[in-house]
């Protein structure tokens, strides 16, 4: 069972629900046994596996590039999101994701041109190198910790626990697929081919017989809400039996994982600890209400985690 791997989890309903579920699906000959090939788990990333406040990590990465563009071209300073970045309008910037989780994408659409153009024409390898360099060196401004040290220790332990019980875990995130891939193996033990996320349209170009793959300024898919379920099926080809998320955008994924035949489990992480973490409820209200209705275990950062961040 390997429950000793969950060392940062306090005894309580959430931890016991995980252990009991694993016991049921791994008991050979038991009524709810699931063959290892079908033991599929999916995890959101921002706010579930690593901290997403005061802003998602990739947003910081993109905004730094937009700031460089606004500094170089004064004309851009009259358009969003360059205007907000150059003018340090934190209220406007901070409300983009909050309003998205509330179902209002007005600001997200307004910001899309800038966000999508930030790394246009970058070859995929060059973008990966820039993302990795940022992730290895940048810090969370509110917590004053390196971004990679804001990964949640209990969730990383949960990934290891599932792997020890012959589960295959995937990241299914609204964050950028190519932004996350350089770090997921070392940070979570999840290889890049098991990262499903938002992506831009890629374009193959050839010059002097040498082929390259580059980022364009067109969005291929924003991997949030119902799109998470579509991408799970298109990339994995199976219904998960375990899912973990933290926001309204994860509801379709949590429902999809728990509405198939046989045993299943959905977890909802709630951020209620403003001492060790950053507490917030905005963008998760519907998910919290649905968890209570469906009986999904709710993971309280304050009550269920003895330790919050990785060392």
């Amino acid at each position: 069972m390997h429950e000793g791997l969950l060392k940062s989890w306090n005894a309580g309903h959430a931890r016991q629900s995980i252990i009991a579920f694993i016991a049921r699906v791994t008991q050979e000959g038991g009524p709810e046994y699931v063959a290892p090939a079908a033991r599929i788990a999916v995890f959101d990333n921002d706010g579930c596996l690593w901290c997403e406040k005061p802003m998602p990590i990739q947003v910081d990465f993109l905004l730094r590039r937009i700031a460089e563009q606004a500094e170089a071209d004064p004309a851009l300073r009259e358009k969003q999101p360059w205007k907000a970045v150059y003018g340090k309008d934190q209220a406007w910037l901070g409300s983009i994701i909050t309003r998205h989780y509330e179902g209002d994408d007005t600001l997200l659409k307004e910001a899309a041109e800038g966000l999508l153009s930030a790394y246009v024409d970058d070859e995929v390898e060059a973008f990966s190198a820039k993302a990795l360099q940022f992730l290895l060196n940048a810090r969370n401004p509110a917590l004053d910790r390196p971004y990679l040290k804001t990964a949640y220790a209990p969730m990383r332990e949960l990934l290891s626990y599932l792997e020890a019980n012959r589960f295959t875990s995937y990241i299914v995130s609204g964050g950028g697929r190519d932004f996350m891939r350089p770090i997921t193996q070392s940070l979570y033990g999840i290889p890049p081919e098991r990262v499903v996320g938002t992506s831009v349209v890629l374009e193959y170009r050839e010059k002097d017989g040498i082929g390259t793959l580059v980022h364009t300024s067109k969005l291929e898919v924003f991997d949030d809400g119902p799109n998470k379920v579509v991408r799970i099926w298109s990339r994995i080809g199976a219904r998960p039996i375990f899912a973990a998320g933290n926001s309204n955008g994860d509801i379709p994924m949590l429902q999809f994982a728990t509405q198939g035949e046989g045993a299943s489990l959905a977890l909802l992480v709630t951020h209620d600890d403003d001492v060790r973490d950053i507490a917030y409820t905005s963008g998760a209200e519907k998910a919290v209400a649905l968890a209570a209705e469906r009986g999904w275990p709710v993971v309280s950062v304050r009550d269920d985690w003895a330790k919050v961040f990785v060392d």
Side-chain angles (χ1 to χ4, degrees), residues 164-184:
N165 284 283
R166 302 178 70 184
F167 272 73
T168 302
S169 294
Y170 294 79
I171 292 175
V172 183
S173 174
R177 174 197 66 200
D178 294 338
F179 177 75
M180 296 180 287
R181 278 179 168 174
I183 207 68
T184 57

Side-chain angles (χ1 to χ4, degrees), residues 268-290:
L268 185 73
V269 177
T270 56
H271 295 274
D272 54 2
D273 189 330
D274 212 21
V275 176
R276 301 178 300 167
D277 188 26
I278 300 174
Y280 59 99
T281 57
S282 181
E285 300 90 342
K286 294 178 182 177
V288 170
L290 191 61

Side-chain angles (χ1 to χ4, degrees), residues 45-46 54 60 81 85 91 95 114-115 129 216 257:
N45 188 41
D46 293 306
D60 188 9
V85 173
S95 62
L115 297 174
T216 72

